[in-house]
Amino acid sequence: PINDSQSMGGAEKAVQEIQGQVRTWISFIENKLGCTISGKSPIIAWLIEHAGTLLNRTKVGDDGKTAYMRIKGKKSKTRMVPFGEKVLWMIPKEERKKGPKMKPRFHYGTWVGINEVTGEYTMMTPIGIKRSRTVRRIPIADRWDEEFLKRCIGVPWDHTGQEIDEDMRETMEIPEPNAN
């Protein structure tokens, strides 16, 4: 039968790999920030998505290719920043044209991944999720900012951060695939 546990081995292994990545990254970020990340922090939702991106772009299969290489036919050349790091992101040109010429071109954000469709970098900010093609790393002493991270909002399904009200760390479950 299709719901037999042996037939779901590949999916179960993928879930275990994502969970391992999430645990590792949470530990890394908490170490860098010197604090515990709340289960209600929107960064948890982004971390799950980022873990999938990492596996797709870096895990080499038996055929010597990553999932990204199998789909796109080439290696991923997108540079990544450590997840959760505070960066400067460039405002898109269309938005820059609307404001005064001397308005800053870069704003602070917390790097949470790559948009798999457009290739843009994704940042959480105090006003919601922003995307940019250009990010700049800041001095090492300023890269991990607990207070800034606490002010950042937005999750993959709600970029303005209005819907988080549960502890995602405790209720995270991956649904069973349809038997169709």
Side-chain angles (χ1 to χ4, degrees):
I2 197 152
N3 288 332
D4 177 302
S5 69
Q6 288 181 346
S7 69
M8 299 303 290
E12 290 172 8
K13 179 68 174 156
V15 169
Q16 289 173 349
E17 289 180 15
I18 295 292
Q19 288 173 339
Q21 285 278 330
V22 170
R23 279 193 299 273
T24 301
W25 278 105
I26 287 173
S27 178
F28 171 79
I29 295 165
E30 287 178 342
N31 183 41
K32 290 290 190 179
L33 293 173
C35 69
T36 301
I37 296 174
S38 162
K40 290 186 178 185
S41 173
I43 202 165
I44 300 292
W46 287 106
L47 184 49
I48 296 164
E49 190 167 301
H50 181 64
T53 298
L54 284 177
L55 289 176
N56 286 337
R57 289 178 181 248
T58 62
K59 184 176 180 199
V60 178
D62 294 337
D63 61 356
K65 296 180 179 180
T66 64
Y68 183 90
M69 288 171 69
R70 280 185 221 105
I71 293 168
K72 301 283 188 175
K74 60 184 179 180
K75 288 184 178 183
S76 171
K77 293 182 182 177
T78 305
R79 292 179 174 247
M80 295 207 197
V81 175
F83 184 85
E85 185 175 299
K86 186 177 177 183
V87 296
L88 285 168
W89 60 275
M90 183 181 267
I91 301 168
K93 199 171 197 174
E94 307 80 51
E95 288 182 41
R96 287 196 315 258
K97 287 181 178 180
K98 295 176 187 176
K101 285 190 180 263
M102 297 309 289
K103 187 176 178 181
R105 289 184 175 194
F106 286 87
H107 290 285
Y108 287 108
T110 299
W111 195 90
V112 292
I114 299 169
N115 180 319
E116 287 291 339
V117 176
T118 66
E120 295 171 304
Y121 298 111
T122 305
M123 278 70 54
M124 284 187 345
T125 73
I127 60 171
I129 300 304
K130 296 293 180 180
R131 291 207 168 106
S132 178
R133 293 221 171 264
T134 305
V135 295
R136 298 283 185 254
R137 295 182 79 185
I138 60 177
I140 294 171
D142 300 326
R143 290 180 183 171
W144 301 97
D145 186 341
E146 176 186 2
E147 292 307 314
F148 181 77
L149 179 60
K150 286 180 181 176
R151 292 193 325 266
C152 290
I153 60 173
V155 288
W157 59 89
D158 174 26
H159 287 196
T160 59
Q162 305 301 311
E163 296 181 18
I164 293 288
D165 63 351
E166 65 184 56
D167 188 333
M168 288 181 281
R169 236 175 156 170
E170 299 302 321
T171 61
M172 226 182 308
E173 290 186 29
I174 298 178
E176 290 292 322
N178 292 337
N180 298 342

